[in-house]
Amino acid sequence: MAGILYLVPTPIGNLGDISPRMAETMAQADFIAAEDTRVSLKLLNHLGLKKPLVSYHRHTTEAGGQAILNRILAGETCALVTDAGTPAISDPGQELVALCAQNHITVVAIPGPCAMVTALAASGQPTDRFTFEGFLPMNKKNRRTHLDSLRGEVRTMVFYEAPHKLTATLSDLCDVFGPDRPVSLCRELSKLHEEIIRTTLGQAISLYSSDSPKGEFVLVVRGAAETAERSATLEDGLARVEQLRAQGASLKDAVRQAAGELSLSKNELYDLALGR
Ligand code: SAM
């Protein structure tokens, strides 16, 4: 009889978040598949467990996945863990789950720590409808195309980002959604320096202009207002640009702000404002 694949979440910063069920699942598994075996070894030592560990990370998902599947098909039980949080959420695991599902293996996900859910819950932004965006594409063109596709998004949006890329990402988000869009910067969740800053994209950029961001972040961005922003036309955008220009804004800033506020394409609005 085939074994089971358990997805075991691990703390995102606080060892007190290890639940009895997580520990018991790891204790009972025949082997542990880990994103980084050195990180998981520390956790196993903390729990006083000695278990066979195999590596399962981004670069080994195909070959590693098949090897893990073969062991489960032969009757072994596997606990999959990543460095922190829930496996398969912006972490290795989704391909292994798909492979096991295709092969009629039982997959059991143990509920537990996940930075996305923790940040969203504490963000103060609407939580009834949201979209998890994870990490934005690194390639500049793909990133821009992806952000453009979110222009009219009315649901709350949740992004992951590494600290050294945070200011660049805030600036890209500000270009698309405008400086007045509310954002919650959820930093170092469940750790000593946990902090949630509820501000706007424009103010968030100023905040980090002198101090570089430190620690891990989740960005929770409020969606576009459902009414005017959805139905705005380029002509509405032009009218708003003229209004902002009359208040002293440069053409570039006025276009950026109007496009963000009304969920319009900045390039199209700029061309129209220039009379092209
Ligand atoms: N699978 C994990 C989960 O369930 O949350 C996510 C792993 S992903 C590779 C790492 C990203 O999660 C970080 O870049 C950061 O955006 C977010 N993250 C992880 N731990 C965090 C924490 N303690 N506070 C804030 N963000 C965190």
Side-chain angles (χ1 to χ4, degrees), residues 66-238:
Q66 190 57 51
I68 291 169
L69 173 70
N70 292 343
R71 289 181 70 167
I72 299 175
L73 283 171
E76 289 189 82
T77 290
C78 171
L80 175 68
V81 296
T82 57
D83 293 350
T86 300
I89 303 298
S90 290
D91 258 348
Q94 62 171 331
E95 294 87 355
L96 184 60
V97 172
L99 190 64
C100 286
Q102 279 157 23
N103 286 274
H104 312 290
I105 300 289
T106 303
V107 178
V108 177
I110 310 286
C114 177
M116 164 190 53
V117 178
T118 311
L120 180 67
S123 67
Q125 307 297 347
T127 58
D128 38 6
R129 293 176 68 222
F130 66 91
T131 157
F132 175 56
E133 296 297 324
F135 292 98
L136 282 167
M138 285 205 277
N139 170 286
K140 217 173 166 184
K141 191 162 165 263
N142 296 347
R143 191 176 170 93
R144 172 55 58 182
T145 308
H146 186 77
L147 281 172
D148 276 339
S149 77
L150 293 174
R151 220 169 253 289
E153 179 58 69
V154 294
R155 293 171 294 180
T156 296
M157 293 164 275
V158 186
F159 298 89
Y160 281 168
E161 195 46 286
H164 64 283
K165 294 193 196 136
L166 188 85
T167 43
T169 294
L170 284 173
S171 160
D172 287 347
L173 293 174
C174 191
D175 276 354
V176 177
F177 302 127
D180 297 328
R181 182 67 71 88
V183 59
S184 302
L185 309 166
C186 306
R187 188 173 86 86
E188 295 285 87
L189 295 166
S190 78
K191 301 185 194 177
L192 186 63
H193 298 294
E194 171 167 328
E195 178 180 41
I196 298 176
I197 302 172
R198 300 177 183 91
T199 181
T200 60
L201 287 170
Q203 281 168 0
I205 292 172
S206 318
L207 193 70
Y208 294 118
S209 59
S210 50
D211 261 353
S212 50
K214 289 187 188 65
E216 296 197 273
F217 283 86
V218 180
L219 306 178
V220 184
V221 181
R222 181 148 337 151
E226 293 232 24
T227 49
E229 293 187 22
R230 265 194 161 173
S231 52
T233 63
L234 280 174
E235 281 63 36
D236 297 328
L238 194 55

Side-chain angles (χ1 to χ4, degrees), residues 21-38:
R21 190 169 175 221
M22 287 173 205
E24 195 183 295
T25 305
M26 284 197 273
Q28 285 180 2
D30 292 306
F31 68 102
I32 312 273
E35 181 182 9
D36 183 336
T37 51
R38 290 162 306 179

